[in-house]
Amino acid sequence: MKKIIIVGGVAGGATAAARLRRLDESAQIILFERGEYISFANCGLPYYIGDVIENRDALLVQTVEGMSRRFRLDIRNFSQVERINTQEKTVVVRHLQTGRVYEEPYDALILSPGASPIKPPIPGLDSAKNVFTLRNIPDTDAIKAFLEEAKPREAVVVGGGFIGIEMAENLVSRGIRVTLVEMADQVMAPFDFEMAQILHAHLIEKGVRLILGDGVQEFQNQGKTILLSSGTSLSSDLTVLSIGIRPENQLAKTAGLALGSRGHILVNEYLETSVSDIYAVGDAIETKGLVYQEPSSIALASPANRQARIVADRICGIPSRYPGVLGTSVAKVFDLTASSTGYSEKRLKQMGRSDIRSIHIHPLSHAGYYPGAAPLDLKLIFEAPGGKILGAQIIGTSGVEKRVDVIATAISAGMTVFQLQDLELAYAPPFSSAKDPVNMAGYVASNLLTGLAEAVSVSEIDHIVEQGGFLLDVRTAGEFALGSIPGARHLPLDELRDRFSELPKDQTIYVTCQVGLRGYLACRILKQQGFSCVNVDGGYRSYSQLKLDIRQKQLPPVKGLACTDHPDVLKQSGNSSDSKDSAGEEASPPLCGSTSSAGPGTSPRKQIDARGLQCPGPIAKVFQELNCADFGDTVEVLATDPGFSQDISAWCQKMGYTLLELSQTERVTKAVIEKTSDTKFSACCPSSASQPLLSRDGKKATMVVFSGDLDKAIASFIIATGAASMGKEVTMFFTFWGLNILRDPAIHVSKSGMARLFGWMMPKGADKLHISKMNLAGMGTSMIKRIMKQKQVDSLRQLMQRAKEMGVTFVACSMSMDIMGIRREELLPDVEVAGVASYLAEAEEGNLNLFI
């Protein structure tokens, strides 16, 4: 009968014990655990602290009694293995409750000691009464008890890894103001910097004060004051140290087992240590990376479980081997899911790899016409020129871990990006698109490797422009107005073929759009016309994420307001004395605002419910409300449009308004804006008729609407509304087929001859327009209208009404009316009739002129 001793429980030890019993009923299996609990859900500990998991017993995956009975194991908790006698094949054990010391022989020994939290020798740490680490059930109980008894208002989390991020979120959910301090320049080390920037922005939006590139120098005042290396002083009622972990290697070290450079137990592909019949698994070991077989140590539950199973197989004669670790992981960061697998770009560069490429795409989580679709930010890393997949990082609100798991499987199978294109993945509108984001990543990467496209990183484009590079932005005018890469020239994609003469043929054209797709389309057009063209990888979305300055994004606190139990439930403090602490000094300013009114002495807050509206609807509603508001007024906006968070930040900066708060709960973005500029635009606000209608830069915007196609008409009014919401005076000049948009279907005018024939052949009004492509005898038009309704996108008539409300002027071309037999009385009310000279006069004063 074989005697197997296991040191340590949880993911590694408990899994090995259960697998051993399933394989060998006759084996004697002894599991030593120095603590009380042999198997608990350590990944769930932060969520129990945050009251997301309410039942403490739910964290206990297995109890000593239950596991002993089911698997016929000899489990001895409160038992610490103090020494291994490798020659005699015995372990020396101390029972911690009684002090009894004894020896136990073994035939095979499995070490699963885990790792312990790092507690560096920071001055003042030993005397701090409010500083905790989180690794096990007793740690959890201690933090939970402190929260209930001390009721802290301010907390500091030191370390931006998985536990640190999860603790920040769960403390915020309890209504505590949280500062997160990370010594590196980013949180979540498995991600590359530009991807971590997405998480930085979201943490700040959720009310976390984020301090990067700084560390703790000293604890003062029994832990209530924290001095950082930069000289910054933080006050803290509760501090959680999540700096990292170190392997529990003392037992292995004294036994003479070989250790890695960072103290981990060295094992081979069979999880064997340097001493025969001793195996090791879990957080304490150093194994190999799956692709390049470099030394690697990953503290994750999934690898520990697989390693434990392989060790049990080996002991029982099954020829299993551990191929290496990928480090596939996923974390909840408030409303975002952040997941990664394989190698990051920075790690590969540290390894000296120069044959790597990466791409960024921003596809929707599922079909765009099905409600709830949200963008994914996906980075794929691969070898060049062969295309072997090396890693991926994805951040989004849904469908994230599914795609990472697919790519992790592809890496394990040694697949290339060319094979990603051909994967047949599950599709239905609520779950994916016909071209899944994984397929799309394969397409983009394959295009680069085959030479069909060239790309440049957003980290390089500023330098390229500074050196005289030609950067072309092919987005719409409305998108361009909300923000662009400095130095970019604007030329919409749909006008590109008609304006080749404006582009240089003697230098490379760098093309950018919103996410990279239109840039690729533009490059394909330009290359076939003899231009040299390079696409900006990931477009303006990736650029703005990379360039995020968290110091500017940190939201100013709102004085006079206090948080309630949850930061998303905001109430006004009762009176001015509520903002004082017991000593009479002004209390630390909270992060929260009010849902019904601003703080004492400020104007009442107005609410705008823009949920369900698509761009530019939310911005347009905010513009209308604040345009008519008085200086110092505030508005609170709720929106579900995925781009609203970025748009409102850019819009406030453009308009000179102050963004007091920007936060997100589930998929609803909340913005609180104060009118700190007294500019008003008379066409949109009758009460300010005495002020001239001017854009903030003294320019106007004009549009020639030549087309009578439904899709182009919709685009025209979306752009016009967007420009008007930026404070521009917009004139839309309708000519030839575009005049049909302005025809009133309720008006019947008697005509004869060619005028009558024209009137019969042309669509009468906005409701009768057809789409320009795939009309299919009207079926395509009906389909696009139905999809717009499902997606809560305004109809053409609603867009026209919104544009009119925002002061957009509609002008019908008198010459075109005469040619086509259209009379003034059959046009909609408030339409002006003028000639080309009027249009040109308006265009000369403007800095934006479009032809659609």
Side-chain angles (χ1 to χ4, degrees), residues 478 481-483 619 623 647 650-655 681 694-697 720-729 806:
L482 287 172
I619 294 289
F623 173 80
D647 287 352
W651 183 82
C652 286
Q653 185 176 10
K654 196 92 171 179
M655 298 298 292
F681 306 98
L694 293 173
S695 65
R696 293 186 54 77
D697 53 9
T721 305
S725 70
M726 301 301 290
K728 292 186 178 295
E729 178 186 355
M806 297 191 66

Side-chain angles (χ1 to χ4, degrees), residues 94 113 178 276 328 422 429 436 463 472 547 600 707 739 818 842 846:
R94 178 185 297 275
V178 175
S276 61
T328 305
D422 299 325
D436 189 86
H463 177 71
L472 183 67
K547 296 298 182 178
S707 173
L739 288 168
D818 186 49
E842 293 288 330

Side-chain angles (χ1 to χ4, degrees), residues 572-647:
Q572 182 185 6
S573 55
N575 51 57
S576 59
S577 64
D578 290 341
S579 63
K580 304 284 183 177
D581 63 15
S582 57
E585 298 294 325
E586 185 170 318
S588 314
L591 294 172
C592 302
S594 165
T595 56
S596 57
S597 63
T602 62
S603 303
R605 179 180 299 177
K606 300 176 183 179
Q607 291 183 320
I608 299 174
D609 189 350
R611 288 174 291 188
L613 295 179
Q614 300 295 317
C615 177
I619 294 289
K621 291 192 75 171
V622 176
F623 173 80
Q624 288 177 298
E625 187 66 51
L626 276 176
N627 185 54
C628 294
D630 295 324
F631 182 84
D633 283 355
T634 59
V635 298
E636 175 185 287
V637 192
L638 300 178
T640 50
D641 176 48
F644 177 71
S645 176
Q646 182 173 336
D647 287 352

Side-chain angles (χ1 to χ4, degrees), residues 289-294 343 348 351 353 355-356 383 390:
L290 180 64
V291 178
Y292 294 120
Q293 295 296 298
E294 79 289 353
Y343 299 83
L348 287 165
M351 292 167 58
R353 305 293 309 193
D355 56 344
I356 58 169
E383 283 183 354
L390 301 177

Side-chain angles (χ1 to χ4, degrees), residues 183-418:
M183 187 175 292
D185 63 352
Q186 67 168 83
V187 301
M188 302 289 278
F191 290 81
D192 287 311
F193 177 76
E194 76 278 11
M195 298 297 288
Q197 284 278 72
I198 303 168
L199 303 178
H200 297 160
H202 190 61
L203 287 166
I204 294 168
E205 288 172 3
K206 303 306 287 188
V208 175
R209 181 186 178 191
L210 189 58
I211 299 177
L212 300 176
D214 210 346
V216 177
Q217 180 173 306
E218 184 179 358
F219 287 97
Q220 300 172 344
N221 191 22
Q222 294 187 320
K224 288 190 171 294
T225 302
I226 302 174
L227 183 64
L228 302 183
S229 301
S230 62
T232 302
S233 180
L234 304 175
S235 63
S236 178
D237 302 319
L238 165 69
T239 299
V240 178
L241 288 182
S242 181
I243 298 172
I245 56 174
R246 58 168 55 95
E248 291 275 11
N249 63 4
Q250 189 59 40
L251 189 62
K253 186 185 294 185
T254 57
L257 274 62
L259 303 178
S261 59
R262 295 189 298 153
H264 295 82
I265 304 170
L266 288 178
V267 297
N268 61 17
E269 61 184 329
Y270 307 118
L271 287 311
E272 297 169 330
T273 68
S274 59
V275 175
S276 61
D277 295 320
I278 299 180
Y279 303 81
V281 299
D283 298 354
I285 72 169
E286 180 181 294
T287 181
K288 302 291 185 181
L290 180 64
V291 178
Y292 294 120
Q293 295 296 298
E294 79 289 353
S296 184
S297 54
I298 301 290
L300 293 170
S302 178
N305 272 282
R306 289 185 292 118
Q307 293 159 8
R309 182 184 178 92
I310 290 168
V311 166
D313 287 352
R314 299 291 305 179
I315 291 173
C316 294
I318 299 174
S320 298
R321 59 179 288 274
Y322 188 62
V325 66
L326 265 182
T328 305
S329 63
V330 63
K332 180 179 181 294
V333 184
F334 288 93
D335 299 328
L336 292 179
T337 302
S339 188
S340 68
T341 188
Y343 299 83
S344 65
E345 190 171 3
K346 63 184 175 186
R347 185 181 174 199
L348 287 165
K349 288 179 178 178
Q350 290 167 357
M351 292 167 58
R353 305 293 309 193
S354 59
D355 56 344
I356 58 169
R357 296 292 301 273
S358 66
I359 56 103
H360 298 74
I361 61 173
H362 309 280
L364 292 177
S365 56
H366 59 250
Y369 56 83
Y370 188 88
L376 300 173
D377 295 290
L378 188 158
K379 178 176 185 177
L380 184 70
I381 303 146
F382 50 94
E383 283 183 354
K388 178 188 284 189
I389 307 163
L390 301 177
Q393 300 157 35
I394 310 180
I395 299 173
T397 57
S398 64
V400 171
E401 68 286 355
K402 165 188 173 181
R403 274 75 186 208
V404 164
D405 285 344
V406 171
I407 296 174
T409 304
I411 297 173
S412 298
M415 292 172 62
T416 68
V417 296
F418 302 104

Side-chain angles (χ1 to χ4, degrees), residues 374-587:
L376 300 173
D377 295 290
L378 188 158
K379 178 176 185 177
L380 184 70
I381 303 146
F382 50 94
E383 283 183 354
K388 178 188 284 189
I389 307 163
L390 301 177
Q393 300 157 35
I394 310 180
I395 299 173
T397 57
S398 64
V400 171
E401 68 286 355
K402 165 188 173 181
R403 274 75 186 208
V404 164
D405 285 344
V406 171
I407 296 174
T409 304
I411 297 173
S412 298
M415 292 172 62
T416 68
V417 296
F418 302 104
Q419 292 169 297
L420 283 189
Q421 302 175 100
D422 299 325
L423 287 180
E424 185 177 325
L425 303 174
Y427 162 62
F431 308 108
S432 184
S433 301
K435 287 188 291 188
D436 189 86
V438 172
N439 300 129
M440 294 172 66
Y443 293 138
V444 175
S446 299
N447 286 341
L448 287 183
L449 295 180
T450 58
L452 196 61
E454 295 180 65
V456 64
S457 168
V458 291
S459 64
E460 302 174 65
I461 195 62
D462 282 341
H463 177 71
I464 289 171
V465 174
E466 288 170 3
Q467 297 300 310
F470 188 94
L471 177 62
L472 183 67
D473 192 317
V474 296
R475 296 177 298 162
T476 65
E479 291 173 295
F480 186 77
L482 287 172
S484 62
I485 300 175
R489 329 283 179 89
H490 179 238
L491 198 168
L493 174 63
D494 292 340
E495 300 178 27
L496 185 59
R497 290 183 177 90
D498 299 322
R499 298 172 63 180
F500 289 142
S501 61
E502 300 176 31
L503 302 176
K505 276 208 168 183
D506 58 346
Q507 66 179 122
T508 298
I509 299 174
Y510 295 88
V511 181
T512 183
C513 61
Q514 188 65 18
V515 297
L517 175 58
R518 282 172 288 177
Y520 167 68
L521 297 176
C523 278
R524 292 305 306 148
I525 294 169
L526 291 170
K527 281 195 170 187
Q528 294 176 72
Q529 295 297 320
F531 291 90
S532 173
C533 187
V534 176
N535 193 17
V536 177
D537 175 44
Y540 182 69
R541 183 179 176 94
S542 287
Y543 179 86
S544 59
Q545 289 167 348
L546 175 68
K547 296 298 182 178
L548 168 75
D549 186 342
I550 67 164
R551 294 169 299 179
Q552 294 181 3
K553 194 169 178 65
Q554 306 273 9
L555 298 177
V558 185
K559 289 193 175 184
L561 305 176
C563 294
T564 58
D565 290 338
H566 192 286
D568 292 320
V569 182
L570 313 174
K571 296 182 179 179
Q572 182 185 6
S573 55
N575 51 57
S576 59
S577 64
D578 290 341
S579 63
K580 304 284 183 177
D581 63 15
S582 57
E585 298 294 325
E586 185 170 318

